[in-house]
Amino acid sequence: MQQKNTVAIVAEDQEFCRAGLSSVLRRKLGFRSVLEARSKEHLDGLMRSNPLVSLATIDLDLPGMDGPNSLRQLRGDYPAVRLAVVTSTATREVILACLAAGIHGFIPKTFQTAEICSALSFIVKGHVFVPSVLSTVDQIREVKNAVEQPLQTD
């Protein structure tokens, strides 16, 4: 395991989901340490105090989250950390807004464990993961445009 992939954060308010994602990150992806955040404020504190974090999974329904605005802020504050949204809200509009905010992947909670593991592995390796719900040609163009937009910070 490379040094850069030793610490991950799971930002999720549901205990069962936190435990499941933490287990996948440790057992399947080899992270030595997985920190858990129950709110956006807690996530911010963990990110600030742990410079070895290389991946953060974030639920859009996390208390204190302001959707794409919070994601954009996290990308600006922690550009080296790979951000993956893992959430139950997986509409086309939400996915595109999150991608435009600069995340590295969007994973619906409806995915099976193997699919989540595969998507997270893809993200950790430096790629952007987009669920197949955006698989038509027009939708692929929209995703490409959203991903290619420069990160805007205030």
Side-chain angles (χ1 to χ4, degrees), residues 46-127:
L46 289 174
M47 297 278 275
R48 267 192 310 275
S49 62
N50 293 282
L52 293 179
V53 171
S54 61
L55 174 72
T57 66
I58 303 164
D59 182 7
L60 289 180
D61 296 323
L62 189 70
M65 282 292 290
D66 183 21
N69 291 330
S70 292
L71 297 171
R72 194 171 289 107
Q73 173 258 316
L74 288 167
R75 282 290 295 133
D77 291 349
Y78 308 99
V81 177
R82 308 289 294 169
L83 300 180
V85 168
V86 181
T87 193
S88 57
T89 308
T91 66
R92 183 172 162 269
E93 293 76 20
V94 169
I95 295 168
L96 290 172
C98 290
L99 289 167
I103 65 164
H104 301 97
F106 192 101
I107 304 168
K109 283 185 178 176
T110 56
F111 273 18
Q112 298 296 315
T113 303
E115 293 172 299
I116 291 172
C117 185
S118 178
L120 288 171
S121 178
F122 193 71
I123 293 164
V124 167
K125 290 177 183 173
H127 306 288

